[in-house]
Amino acid sequence: EILRCLVGSEMCIRDRKYVVVGAGLAGLTIAERIASQLNEKVLIIEKRPHIGGNVYDSYNNDGILIQNYGPHTFHTNDDEVFNYVLQFCEWHQYQHRVLSYVDGNWVPMPIGLETINKLYNMNLSETELMDFIESKKEKIEDVKNSEDVVLSKAGRDIYEKFFKYFTYKQWGVYPSELDASVISRIPFRTNRDTRYFTDQHQGNPKGGFTRMCERMVAHPNIRIMLNTDYKEIIDQIEYNKMIYTGPIDYYFNYKLGKLLYRSIRFEFETLDMESYQPTASSRYPMDHEYTRITEFKKMYGQKHPKTTICKEYPCFGNEPYYTYPTQEWKDLANKYRALAALESNVVFLGRLAEYKYYDMDDVIRRALNVFEECIK
């Protein structure tokens, strides 16, 4: 009843002042703001058969809540963004922890005191850890790429065990070929904190992200068209402004060439056991073709005699998951952004439309800012 899909309705098409292309978090957030704060009618056009974008989750045939496009955990230090999200859900407190399988042992990720002690069978203090890491670092005057980042911060053994081959699986190239910012985002700690994120607010919506997204678009001013490529119907729509959240190169019909994205192939398995691994997320930087395994029950605190896991195989495919972090594609994206700046009645918003990596809280913050600065 909450999610309305009025495909082909003339009223749905004709009396909308705003059109939002894409029903991911960026599109849903700005549509909700327009509908509730401006009391204007909004049409959302979504190519997929569901809303939520890549945070879409659902219950599988065994009744286990899974995330269909891989694991997502919400974390933020932005109180305004967190309070915005809480309008549409109850909150399940969850501290995300990740283990890496290295040299036959499970060690915490990100790398910290507990990681080093377990990996090298030592009992270092925080001060001793600093001295140990300092002795392993390689002196690099000019840090140019992701390999340089790790070598200068942790040394070659850490680089080989945790980053070199994992990065190759993730991106199809070694860290030496990637911008320094790619691995710079990965935290490295000198204390005993084994949480993957240290943000003040962490967790997931009770009942899943899809339920939260449905509540975001429950406003009567919002209508949604699913299974629809906006280009097939946009000429029939009368609107004042479009908020576009799809791939920026697709908007311009690839006139400058296609941008490169890294994709993922997901392999789901439901197992007749209560627990498969120690934590919800495990990484395999040296072994296997997959990069990580997620056990979804542990993210939501769901009780069930069975469990569902998901293995991730990064690849080059049709679904765009990650913008490609090399200079060639950043330069091409900048050329598309220059074209986008000339579109007077279109706002380009989100990871695909801006060809920029965003966490969930970042994309909501971006959408809230765009609403205040460009719409309201």
Side-chain angles (χ1 to χ4, degrees):
E1 293 180 0
I2 292 177
L3 185 59
R4 296 165 299 278
C5 181
L6 304 182
V7 179
S9 167
E10 184 175 349
M11 181 181 70
C12 171
I13 289 176
R14 286 193 170 276
D15 65 348
R16 303 287 134 175
K17 187 174 180 179
Y18 294 92
V19 170
V20 175
V21 176
L25 283 181
L28 298 182
T29 299
I30 205 154
E32 185 279 329
R33 290 288 84 184
I34 292 170
S36 65
Q37 300 300 302
L38 302 184
N39 196 29
E40 295 284 1
K41 294 181 179 180
V42 186
L43 172 64
I44 301 175
I45 307 172
E46 169 57 49
K47 198 170 185 178
R48 286 173 171 173
H50 59 75
I51 65 170
N54 286 352
V55 304
Y56 173 76
D57 49 23
S58 64
Y59 288 90
N60 65 13
N61 292 335
D62 292 282
I64 298 172
L65 183 58
I66 65 170
Q67 295 178 329
N68 299 64
Y69 300 95
H72 292 81
T73 297
F74 192 90
H75 56 98
T76 188
N77 286 316
D78 191 325
D79 291 336
E80 183 182 354
V81 166
F82 185 60
N83 289 330
Y84 175 79
V85 167
L86 289 183
Q87 296 179 79
F88 311 107
C89 66
E90 297 178 62
W91 200 247
H92 170 65
Q93 297 286 350
Y94 165 71
Q95 301 285 325
H96 192 56
R97 285 180 167 82
V98 177
L99 293 176
S100 281
Y101 190 69
V102 180
D103 290 344
N105 297 309
W106 290 111
V107 295
M109 189 71 186
I111 298 168
L113 182 58
E114 296 297 321
T115 310
I116 298 299
N117 280 336
K118 287 186 177 182
L119 187 64
Y120 296 108
N121 194 26
M122 296 189 295
N123 189 28
L124 300 177
S125 66
E126 292 185 21
T127 303
E128 292 169 331
L129 173 65
M130 295 290 290
D131 294 335
F132 176 82
I133 294 298
E134 196 64 34
S135 70
K136 300 294 183 182
K137 291 180 179 179
E138 295 188 10
K139 188 174 182 179
I140 300 176
E141 298 292 344
D142 184 14
V143 175
K144 296 180 179 179
N145 52 57
S146 284
E147 178 180 294
D148 292 344
V149 170
V150 182
L151 293 178
S152 63
K153 286 186 176 181
R156 189 159 297 275
D157 195 48
I158 293 294
Y159 168 72
E160 297 275 348
K161 284 180 165 62
F162 289 90
F163 296 101
K164 182 177 180 179
Y165 304 106
F166 184 89
T167 301
Y168 186 82
K169 288 193 290 183
Q170 182 72 33
W171 296 107
V173 294
Y174 287 107
S176 60
E177 300 174 69
L178 292 179
D179 187 85
S181 63
V182 178
I183 287 182
S184 295
R185 293 192 312 106
I186 299 173
F188 183 90
R189 303 194 186 115
T190 58
N191 57 29
R192 295 184 181 276
D193 189 350
T194 60
R195 296 176 301 163
Y196 196 77
F197 307 114
T198 59
D199 302 75
Q200 179 183 358
H201 308 294
Q202 297 187 41
N204 291 307
K206 288 184 179 179
F209 284 100
T210 299
R211 181 182 295 180
M212 180 190 83
C213 290
E214 289 173 347
R215 291 173 177 171
M216 291 176 71
V217 294
H219 198 282
N221 282 344
I222 297 175
R223 292 292 183 270
I224 301 172
M225 300 178 72
L226 299 177
N227 294 304
T228 305
D229 186 330
Y230 86 100
K231 288 188 177 183
E232 296 175 357
I233 64 166
I234 197 66
D235 291 339
Q236 307 169 40
I237 302 174
E238 299 170 8
Y239 63 92
N240 289 8
K241 187 174 288 289
M242 174 192 292
I243 298 90
Y244 180 79
T245 71
I248 189 172
D249 53 349
Y250 179 67
Y251 177 88
F252 291 105
N253 298 311
Y254 309 114
K255 67 186 296 182
L256 303 178
K258 275 192 173 185
L259 286 164
L260 186 65
Y261 295 88
R262 193 64 166 159
S263 192
I264 306 174
R265 178 172 63 85
F266 300 106
E267 187 178 280
F268 293 86
E269 298 177 45
T270 297
L271 307 170
D272 195 12
M273 58 178 66
E274 284 199 24
S275 177
Y276 175 78
Q277 59 190 19
T279 56
S281 181
S282 60
R283 292 163 59 103
Y284 294 84
M286 301 178 72
D287 304 274
H288 307 292
E289 292 182 22
Y290 46 81
T291 51
R292 64 179 171 179
I293 297 178
T294 301
E295 188 173 6
F296 297 104
K297 279 169 46 179
K298 291 182 168 65
M299 300 179 73
Y300 290 105
Q302 187 180 8
K303 304 298 182 184
H304 197 285
K306 295 183 179 182
T307 194
T308 298
I309 63 171
C310 175
K311 297 176 181 177
E312 295 182 39
Y313 298 83
C315 59
F316 289 109
N318 295 324
E319 284 289 345
Y321 285 98
Y322 299 105
T323 57
Y324 207 77
T326 58
Q327 196 59 46
E328 174 186 0
W329 305 107
K330 290 182 179 181
D331 291 343
L332 181 56
N334 283 333
K335 293 178 182 178
Y336 274 117
R337 292 189 193 105
L339 291 179
L342 302 177
E343 298 288 305
S344 59
N345 68 332
V346 182
V347 175
F348 292 80
L349 171 66
R351 182 185 292 198
L352 299 179
E354 299 178 62
Y355 200 73
K356 181 179 179 181
Y357 184 88
Y358 283 114
D359 283 327
M360 284 185 284
D361 64 325
D362 293 328
V363 80
I364 292 174
R365 163 50 61 198
R366 176 77 175 133
L368 294 176
N369 289 348
V370 166
F371 171 74
E372 292 292 333
E373 298 165 8
C374 304
I375 307 296
K376 185 177 178 180

